[in-house]
Amino acid sequence: MSDRPYLSKSRLISAWQCPKKLHLEKHHKELGVITAQMESAFAGGHQVGEIAQRIYGDDRSVEIAFNFRTMVAETAALFESGADCAIFEATFRYEGVLIRADIMLPDNGGWRVIEVKASTSLKDYHVLDCAIQDWVLRNAGINVTSISLAHIDNQFVYEGGGNYNGLLVEHDLTAEVRGMEPQVLALLDKARVAVTGPMPDVTVGAQCHQPYECQFIAHCWPSDTKYPVTGLGGSKAKLAEYVALGARDILDVDESSITDKTQQRIFRVTCKGEPEVLDGARQELAALEFPRYYLDFETIGPGVPIWEGTRPYQAIPIQWSCHIEDEDGELRHEEFLDVSGQPPMRALAESLIATVGDFGPILMYTSFEQKVINGLAEAYPDLAEDLAEISSRLYDLHPIVKANYYHPDMLGSWSIKAVMPTIDAAMDYSTLEGINEGTAASDGFLEAIDPGTDMMRKQELEEQLRRYCKFDTEAMVTIVRFFTQERR
């Protein structure tokens, strides 16, 4: 069996993305970095899978529990007994390849197979995914009458009551999949070599981010220098070219090869070794009237909607923070957060209208806040006029900061999290314990409203959410004061 090592379907997809990724998953798993975004995506996928079982199953349905020692045998015994019900996570192995079928439904003496994904469209690798499933199932003796891919319909509107019928859209891929056996066999050979052989020699490139963000990016891309070449930002393919030519640090890159204007600016400032601060920001920001409102929203966007009238992955505002600055420099803070579990959107909108009054610029960082406000106006027509007035007062700090400021330590990013530590070392998001970025905030809120979360944990999450959102608006105040201060 040395040439037929254990391979799961997910490992085969890893080999398709990059054989080096598969090799590292098998032999150097400790080099991978699982980000909060990756963990959130995994959890979201599991949730969609659970809903799929509710949609396709009934009281007779059977789920094969995940246990390496028993799940193949339990599946075989179930099929040998003549099972005639929906089966979830049926597990089969053929020539060392293990697959778990999300859904198998009896179909005229055979089985209709459905693979479930949390995405909102059919992807190329989904077809390959189904082809691997089909190949194993048919060779394991299963009569597969059809195989489909089911993904989320992002136009689905949840009507409440736990009724998710219509959440998933099916694509019958049977004909397409049956013609892919040569590709599956070639991928098997590729994966077996990656697992049993030496580390594959694969240069970094676009495949590091597609179809999934690879957990080994920090290992494969240069990251052990002061200004890694990835800090130039822009096209991943172009950055990979620099790396292929031997560049590890931004300073290693041949300046004549840089054609993108933003990359040229980053290179120039990095070589200079000190921040670039242009006067345009001071002039424009100093002209802003008072009172000034610094606004930030936090949102959730679950793939499986939790509140009536909402859609999958819709950006639903659940929290806001607002620092209010008067002309004399006095600063006060207002906020909204409701972790009761009830839909907070209308109360959030009403409290915002009451807080920002009818005069003074409302500062945001990127245009996200405007999209949120426009969404609230669409949801609540009776508040639309007030919300439109708020929208008309919004002022985006991001473009003015990008046009007038760059510090080498920002490493190609003008996100507020990259900018802040270069302006004020105390304003570093990484110093926040617990929730310190958007995905964690979204997941933290969902955990806080979960009825199964104990009161102490709920209070802890609420405190972290308030602190994080407040940090965002305090950061904007700091940015404006930094640019409007007198400089020598």
Side-chain angles (χ1 to χ4, degrees):
M1 291 292 292
S2 61
D3 63 336
R4 290 184 182 175
Y6 160 74
L7 291 168
S8 64
K9 184 184 65 174
S10 62
R11 284 187 170 179
L12 287 174
I13 296 298
S14 288
W16 175 77
Q17 179 174 351
C18 172
K20 186 176 181 181
K21 179 177 187 286
L22 173 58
H23 183 92
L24 291 169
E25 286 175 346
K26 172 65 176 178
H27 300 289
H28 298 286
K29 190 175 181 180
E30 74 283 358
L31 297 176
V33 177
I34 305 299
T35 66
Q37 291 78 8
M38 292 175 184
E39 290 181 342
S40 183
F42 294 152
H46 289 310
Q47 186 183 28
V48 173
E50 291 172 0
I51 294 298
Q53 292 185 7
R54 287 166 53 182
I55 292 173
Y56 289 99
D58 56 31
D59 293 341
R60 299 172 56 245
S61 304
V62 177
E63 179 179 4
I64 303 298
F66 183 82
N67 185 321
F68 272 116
R69 295 167 60 182
T70 62
M71 54 193 184
V72 172
E74 285 186 15
T75 299
L78 185 64
F79 277 79
E80 288 170 5
S81 70
D84 187 32
C85 62
I87 301 175
F88 307 127
E89 306 299 341
T91 309
F92 300 87
R93 181 184 287 116
Y94 178 72
E95 290 195 0
V97 180
L98 186 84
I99 64 101
R100 284 169 63 77
D102 289 338
I103 299 166
M104 296 184 69
L105 304 175
D107 185 33
N108 296 320
W111 293 89
R112 185 162 78 92
V113 180
I114 304 168
E115 178 70 5
V116 179
K117 299 296 182 184
S119 66
T120 59
S121 63
L122 178 66
K123 313 289 186 183
D124 289 345
Y125 70 93
H126 291 162
V127 182
L128 177 61
D129 188 302
C130 289
I132 295 167
Q133 295 246 84
D134 184 64
W135 180 79
V136 171
L137 287 166
R138 289 188 295 106
N139 282 289
I142 301 300
N143 176 19
V144 179
T145 59
S146 69
I147 184 162
S148 300
L149 189 287
H151 65 75
I152 287 177
D153 177 4
N154 61 4
Q155 298 305 304
F156 168 82
V157 178
Y158 179 48
E159 296 180 354
N163 181 7
Y164 290 100
N165 291 329
L167 174 67
L168 299 175
V169 177
E170 280 189 41
H171 298 269
D172 187 337
L173 301 177
T174 310
E176 191 170 356
V177 158
R178 293 286 160 82
M180 292 186 65
E181 185 164 326
Q183 290 97 310
V184 172
L185 295 176
L187 179 59
L188 280 171
D189 290 339
K190 182 179 182 179
R192 286 166 177 157
V193 170
V195 167
T196 60
M199 177 90 74
D201 183 15
V202 181
T203 58
V204 295
Q207 79 278 359
C208 300
H209 305 270
Q210 295 294 334
Y212 304 110
E213 189 85 2
C214 179
Q215 67 269 39
F216 299 105
I217 285 178
H219 171 71
C220 296
W221 285 79
S223 59
D224 56 351
T225 68
K226 187 172 183 179
Y227 304 118
V229 69
T230 50
L232 280 172
S235 164
K236 299 294 191 300
K238 188 64 177 179
L239 293 175
E241 290 179 15
Y242 296 143
V243 174
L245 292 172
R248 299 189 62 78
D249 192 283
I250 289 175
L251 303 181
D252 296 334
V253 177
D254 178 6
E255 183 176 8
S256 65
S257 68
I258 304 175
T259 57
D260 179 82
K261 289 184 178 179
T262 300
Q263 289 186 336
Q264 289 173 346
R265 178 187 178 194
I266 292 169
F267 181 85
R268 171 174 50 78
V269 177
T270 303
C271 288
K272 190 176 180 181
E274 59 185 50
E276 175 185 77
V277 186
L278 305 180
D279 199 45
R282 183 188 65 80
Q283 295 176 3
E284 183 166 339
L285 296 177
L288 293 175
E289 296 177 295
F290 291 93
R292 297 170 178 173
Y293 298 85
Y294 299 82
L295 177 65
D296 179 72
F297 287 111
E298 295 304 326
T299 63
I300 60 170
V304 178
I306 59 176
W307 291 312
E308 184 178 340
T310 61
R311 302 186 310 276
Y313 300 119
Q314 177 183 348
I316 302 171
I318 47 87
Q319 178 183 11
W320 59 256
S321 169
C322 185
H323 273 85
I324 306 167
E325 183 182 23
D326 294 325
E327 192 165 7
D328 60 5
E330 181 181 349
L331 199 65
R332 63 188 188 278
H333 179 251
E334 301 289 344
E335 63 183 348
F336 175 92
L337 176 63
D338 177 5
V339 293
S340 68
Q342 294 300 309
M345 297 83 77
R346 184 177 181 90
L348 176 146
E350 292 173 339
S351 63
L352 178 65
I353 292 169
T355 296
V356 300
D358 56 10
F359 179 78
I362 302 173
L363 286 72
M364 58 185 179
Y365 201 87
T366 75
S367 61
F368 181 70
E369 275 60 36
Q370 188 159 41
K371 295 177 183 177
V372 171
I373 291 171
N374 291 345
L376 288 169
E378 182 180 347
Y380 306 108
D382 59 315
L383 302 179
E385 185 176 347
D386 289 332
L387 290 167
E389 192 275 334
I390 290 173
S391 183
S392 70
R393 292 160 54 196
L394 291 171
Y395 178 92
D396 190 355
L397 285 170
H398 180 266
I400 195 72
V401 173
K402 186 169 184 178
N404 290 276
Y405 182 72
Y406 185 74
H407 190 293
D409 290 347
M410 286 160 52
L411 296 178
S413 172
W414 278 268
S415 73
I416 199 166
K417 293 176 178 60
V419 171
M420 285 314 302
T422 70
I423 288 177
D424 183 346
M427 295 293 293
D428 189 338
Y429 282 78
S430 66
T431 63
L432 294 176
E433 293 185 7
I435 294 171
N436 61 12
E437 53 86 34
T439 299
S442 175
D443 291 344
F445 177 82
L446 292 171
E447 182 183 353
I449 67 172
D450 189 324
T453 302
D454 68 64
M455 188 55 64
M456 287 188 63
R457 176 59 176 163
K458 184 171 184 171
Q459 291 175 349
E460 178 185 33
L461 289 166
E462 182 175 359
E463 290 173 4
Q464 291 179 10
L465 284 163
R466 291 185 187 277
R467 182 187 59 199
Y468 170 67
C469 198
K470 182 179 180 181
F471 202 85
D472 274 334
T473 52
E474 186 178 354
M476 285 189 276
V477 174
T478 303
I479 286 173
V480 172
R481 290 182 173 179
F482 169 79
F483 284 112
T484 55
Q485 68 187 353
E486 292 295 330
R487 301 185 188 281
R488 296 181 179 179

